[in-house]
Amino acid sequence: GGGCGMVLYAQPIADCLRAVQAQCAGQGRQKPHVVFLTAAGRPYNEEKARELASYDAVTLVCGHYEGVDQRILDEIVDEEISIGDYVLTGGELPAVILTDAVARMLPGVLSEDVCFEEESHYDGLLEYPQYTRPSAWRGREVPQVLLNGHHENIKKWRREQSLKVTQKARPDLFEKAELTAEE
């Protein structure tokens, strides 16, 4: 590539992606959505994970060192995604992160949709605190509301805690939160 690091050739990547597209077409499936993982891409978040989970198939392209020939990006890649504002030697670790975040939203991966719907970032907030038994540990008690079995009160407590945690740890998210008049 003429710069400091290696650039991956266009033709082998194009051949691979065309073979994957042909395989999907042979199965009567849509062409995969092609994502290139790069520090120059749009930031990855929960909303993007939900969007990617809606596709029939997603193909991830990982550059290494300097990346891939620009012509691949121009011709075949549908979008470029970054997992953060830093640079790694390759796209393999971002691909694992993206795959894990998307896969957990697919039917059958988790026992119920609520398992990911009540997690941090799904609704733009951070998750409420979690507790286990015993109800007292080193002088610290589980909040009483969680022990009484009143599901509506527990739901309200979780929402309040989610707002408090988000406001404290991520004021940037809290500013964007959709709050009720009471909240």
Side-chain angles (χ1 to χ4, degrees):
C4 295
M6 293 190 308
V7 176
L8 301 176
Y9 284 116
Q11 194 60 52
I13 297 170
D15 292 346
C16 177
L17 294 174
R18 298 283 185 236
V20 169
Q21 290 171 351
Q23 184 180 33
C24 286
Q27 297 169 347
R29 297 170 56 207
Q30 294 181 350
K31 170 183 139 347
H33 183 75
V34 180
V35 174
F36 178 59
L37 296 150
T38 173
R42 296 188 73 133
Y44 188 58
N45 58 30
E46 189 77 3
E47 183 179 340
K48 178 54 70 175
R50 284 196 304 270
E51 179 188 324
L52 293 175
S54 73
Y55 287 103
D56 176 57
V58 176
T59 299
L60 305 178
V61 177
C62 302
H64 206 79
Y65 302 123
E66 282 298 308
V68 301
D69 188 302
Q70 181 64 39
R71 293 169 289 186
I72 286 293
L73 306 179
D74 296 340
E75 185 175 323
I76 300 175
V77 169
D78 295 310
E79 71 177 311
E80 298 178 31
I81 293 177
S82 169
I83 63 160
D85 293 338
Y86 49 89
V87 177
L88 301 170
T89 56
E92 300 85 358
L93 293 174
V96 170
I97 290 167
L98 186 143
T99 300
D100 188 70
V102 170
R104 61 192 304 275
M105 294 184 196
L106 300 177
V109 174
L110 300 177
S111 59
E112 299 177 65
D113 289 356
V114 73
C115 293
F116 61 81
E117 291 171 352
E118 289 189 0
E119 290 285 346
S120 290
H121 302 290
Y122 188 82
D123 64 356
L125 299 173
L126 301 180
E127 190 175 12
Y128 48 82
Q130 303 284 331
Y131 297 92
T132 62
R133 290 192 170 111
S135 60
W137 178 77
R138 294 187 180 184
R140 296 175 181 259
E141 301 282 334
V142 171
Q144 192 60 40
V145 67
L146 299 177
L147 302 174
N148 68 18
H150 192 286
H151 296 291
E152 194 58 38
N153 288 347
I154 292 171
K155 183 178 178 181
K156 183 179 177 185
W157 179 88
R158 286 177 172 172
R159 174 71 178 177
E160 290 169 358
Q161 293 302 306
S162 179
L163 290 168
K164 286 179 183 179
V165 168
T166 305
Q167 187 176 30
K168 181 179 178 184
R170 292 289 305 273
D172 59 314
L173 294 177
F174 186 79
E175 286 178 18
K176 299 179 210 171
E178 294 182 22
L179 306 176
T180 66
E182 182 182 322
E183 293 170 336

